[in-house]
Amino acid sequence: GAVVSQHPSWVICKSGTSVKIECRSLDFQATTMFWYRQFPKQSLMLMATSNEGSKATYEQGVEKDKFLINHASLTLSTLTVTSAHPEDSSFYICSAIFPGQGNEKLFFGSGTQLSVL
Amino acid sequence: GESVGLHLPTLSVQEGDNSIINCAYSNSASDYFIWYKQESGKGPQFIIDIRSNMDKRQGQRVTVLLNKTVKHLSLQIAATQPGDSAVYFCAEKVGTSYGKLTFGQGTILTVHP
């Protein structure tokens, strides 16, 4: 079945550094991917929509210069958290649309736990 | 903005019992609903979906019921097993928003052996 791979699964970094998270669709092409963040015991909040070959669309309140998204190929989207601070510590999850017969399905990566010291 | 919401954060059941997880949504324009299961430290896993032109859909051990009149969605799990312990989220989508979902608050299901 369709698989979305996310890497790394966890990362610890120092405050002020940048961290890149990768999201890959392994056996299908995904022109659209999504990035979510999730705080402990809370729901998923959509951060941005990643579009292959064009700029990402950010949700209201999400800083595009802080959360850089690049969707350079049909199988890879990256999220870079720039100048990370402790409040950026969160669980980041990507998803990709698997095209179906008039009813596309959304598959999720396994998530990345970011801890900023 | 409008959002999907869950008001029951935890549910504890005995193994073998049936579980019912509820979800209230507020956007009357939503026409596609999905239930996801999320285990600790993992991404959401698709369970079952339903379109607004249906009021019931069954899967393997799971049934989703949709009541558009009161904007209510439920997930029924038959013969709940310890492996069903997880957080369950409902999510909604408005037709033209290609894949863009709004997630509910989530319910923690704990199944006791």
Side-chain angles (χ1 to χ4, degrees), chain A residues 1-4 23 28 94-98 105-109, chain B residues 36 44 46:
Chain A
V3 176
V4 174
C23 181
F28 64 100
C94 71
S95 67
I97 294 174
F98 180 83
K105 288 277 195 293
L106 197 64
F107 289 91
F108 287 84
Chain B
Y36 287 97
F46 174 92

Side-chain angles (χ1 to χ4, degrees), chain A residues 31-32 34 36 38 41-44 46 49 59 91 93 97 99 102-111, chain B residues 32 34 36 38 41-46 49 51 57 89 93 95 97-106 108:
Chain A
T31 56
T32 304
F34 301 91
Y36 298 82
Q38 184 179 31
K41 301 197 177 197
Q42 293 191 22
S43 189
L44 283 74
L46 179 66
T49 303
E59 295 301 300
F91 193 55
I93 308 171
I97 294 174
N103 183 16
E104 71 277 358
K105 288 277 195 293
L106 197 64
F107 289 91
F108 287 84
S110 55
Chain B
Y32 181 53
I34 310 171
Y36 287 97
Q38 186 180 27
K42 297 183 180 180
Q45 178 185 0
F46 174 92
D49 59 357
R51 292 206 172 272
R57 190 159 188 232
F89 293 98
K93 182 169 87 74
S97 55
Y98 190 55
K100 186 172 172 179
L101 297 175
T102 300
F103 281 82
Q105 295 297 312
I108 301 171

Side-chain angles (χ1 to χ4, degrees), chain A residues 80-96:
Chain A
T80 301
V81 183
T82 63
S83 186
H85 292 283
E87 58 265 30
D88 298 324
S89 298
S90 185
F91 193 55
Y92 292 87
I93 308 171
C94 71
S95 67

